[in-house]
């Protein structure tokens, strides 16, 4: 029997997203600004929630602080590598770096998925069970739930990374994507990927479908409760409270479903869709949650204005 020698890859080259060469500088500056504003915006929310005594003990804002931390992490994992695509030099990523990027992206991404579900459940209790809300959702319980989301996310990320990189990679090393993600990396494997594609579809499908279904059920109950509110002002305030969360969930889940729930497909739109959960959503979250949330805006005024503002508010 003839033995075939394969040289295993030690690095990958990320081809990035296609773009007109004349727009290279403009796109580099654009994503640099997106990255800087994402970090500053989420850091501002994190500091505001942590320092304001009226916010940091409330479950909704504990979840919001965790969300800001996740957004900062996802942006830092993906956007700097994306920006390298807009420079002239080819900068490969080491095999270990590719493993780490895939793991941390799915770790933080799935944690965010679980967190959105917890935030929907929190809003359900606040609007549908307002009298029992302080008993049902305490600061201690919300911290435990957020910790559980971190643990579940780390297990999910480890599972995906182990399944993906247990395969041999010995052929071309050009990843037709702007970061190391499962569908793009699996195309380079020197082995049958049918099992991997099936497990990825089932695993991510179960996470996305279960979380989205729970969110949908929560908001059906929330809408029913809001419609029973007699005053127009009360309905408006209730809708405003949940509007930010619905916007973020929609922007996050639709691209994820498009990318991962179509096994064996390779669409040029995948890269554009992936920009939403990796770059756009982390950038939009601070804007959405500050512009639509009166309590966060008041807390920002108290923090910026100091004791004088606090006494007026």
């Amino acid at each position: 029997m003839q033995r075939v020698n394969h040289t295993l890859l030690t690095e990958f080259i990320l081809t990035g997203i296609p773009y007109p060469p004349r727009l290279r500088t403009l796109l580099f500056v654009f994503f640099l600004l997106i990255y800087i504003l994402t970090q500053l915006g989420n850091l501002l929310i994190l500091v505001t929630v942590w320092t304001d005594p009226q916010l940091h003990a409330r479950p909704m804002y504990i979840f919001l602080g965790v969300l800001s931390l996740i957004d900062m992490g996802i942006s830092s994992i993906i956007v700097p590598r994306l920006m390298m695509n807009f420079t002239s030099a080819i900068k490969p990523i080491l095999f270990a770096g590719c493993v780490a990027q895939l793991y941390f992206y799915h770790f933080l991404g799935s944690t965010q998925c679980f967190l959105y579900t917890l935030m929907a459940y929190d809003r359900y209790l606040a609007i549908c069970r307002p009298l029992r809300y302080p008993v049902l959702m305490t600061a201690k319980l919300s911290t435990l739930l957020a910790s559980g989301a971190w643990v579940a996310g780390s297990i999910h990320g480890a599972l995906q990374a182990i399944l993906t990189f247990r395969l041999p990679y010995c052929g071309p090393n050009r990843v037709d994507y702007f970061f190391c993600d499962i569908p793009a990396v699996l195309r380079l494997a020197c082995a049958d990927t049918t099992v991997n594609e099936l497990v990825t579809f089932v695993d991510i499908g179960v996470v996305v479908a279960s979380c989205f279904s729970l969110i949908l059920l929560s908001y059906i109950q929330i809408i029913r409760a809001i419609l029973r509110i007699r005053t127009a002002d009360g309905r408006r305030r209730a809708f405003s409270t949940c509007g930010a969360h619905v916007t973020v969930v929609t922007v996050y889940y639709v691209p994820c479903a498009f990318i991962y729930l179509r096994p064996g497909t390779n669409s040029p739109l995948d890269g554009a869709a992936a920009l939403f959960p990796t770059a756009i959503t982390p950038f939009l979250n601070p804007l959405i949650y500050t512009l639509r949330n009166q309590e966060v805006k008041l807390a920002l005024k108290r923090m910026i204005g100091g004791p004088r503002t606090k006494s007026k508010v």
Side-chain angles (χ1 to χ4, degrees), residues 55-301:
L55 297 185
H56 73 252
R58 294 175 59 183
M60 175 180 174
Y61 297 102
I62 292 174
F63 294 143
L64 182 57
V66 175
L67 179 64
S68 295
L69 196 60
I70 292 172
D71 283 337
M72 292 173 69
I74 290 178
S75 178
S76 297
I77 292 166
I78 305 299
V79 178
R81 288 297 316 189
L82 172 63
M83 290 165 52
M84 290 184 185
N85 182 47
F86 307 119
T87 61
S88 56
I90 296 177
K91 297 177 177 62
I93 182 172
L94 294 176
F95 188 92
C98 193
V99 175
Q101 189 181 53
L102 188 146
Y103 164 72
F104 281 107
Y105 173 67
H106 282 275
F107 162 35
L108 295 175
S110 56
T111 303
Q112 189 171 37
C113 189
F114 299 136
L115 188 67
Y116 283 147
T117 309
L118 295 177
M119 293 173 76
Y121 179 64
D122 175 73
R123 291 301 82 205
Y124 161 75
L125 291 179
I127 294 175
C128 299
R129 301 288 187 271
L131 298 179
R132 299 192 62 198
Y133 176 73
V135 178
L136 295 174
M137 183 62 75
T138 62
K140 182 178 180 181
L141 177 60
S142 61
T143 303
L144 289 174
L145 290 173
S147 300
W150 283 108
V151 173
S154 66
I155 294 172
H156 174 84
L159 175 64
Q160 293 299 333
I162 291 170
L163 286 174
T164 301
F165 291 101
R166 70 180 179 84
L167 299 174
Y169 292 88
C170 50
N173 69 337
R174 296 180 67 85
V175 179
D176 189 21
Y177 217 52
F178 62 91
F179 70 102
C180 290
D181 200 12
I182 298 168
V185 173
L186 284 180
R187 295 187 201 111
L188 305 180
C190 302
D192 181 39
T193 61
T194 304
V195 174
N196 286 73
E197 291 174 1
L198 180 61
V199 172
T200 299
F201 175 78
V202 172
D203 181 31
I204 296 180
V206 167
V207 171
V208 171
S210 59
C211 289
F212 186 76
S213 297
L214 290 172
I215 291 172
L216 186 62
L217 288 173
S218 296
Y219 275 95
I220 289 174
Q221 296 299 319
I222 288 171
I223 291 172
R224 290 176 61 185
I226 290 175
L227 293 177
R228 287 197 294 266
I229 298 176
R230 295 182 178 182
T231 63
D233 182 63
R235 287 195 298 269
R236 182 189 59 80
R237 291 178 61 186
F239 272 120
S240 177
T241 302
C242 302
H245 187 220
V246 172
T247 303
V248 169
V249 166
T250 303
V251 173
Y252 180 80
Y253 275 99
V254 173
C256 287
F258 179 80
I259 295 168
Y260 297 109
L261 301 187
R262 299 175 303 120
T265 59
N266 180 19
S267 171
L269 295 176
D270 286 353
L275 286 174
F276 282 89
T278 57
I280 305 302
T281 303
F283 167 71
L284 291 178
N285 278 350
L287 297 175
I288 292 171
Y289 280 107
T290 53
L291 294 178
R292 296 182 63 92
N293 192 306
Q294 191 66 26
E295 290 179 315
V296 174
K297 286 191 285 187
L298 290 175
L300 283 170
K301 290 180 182 178

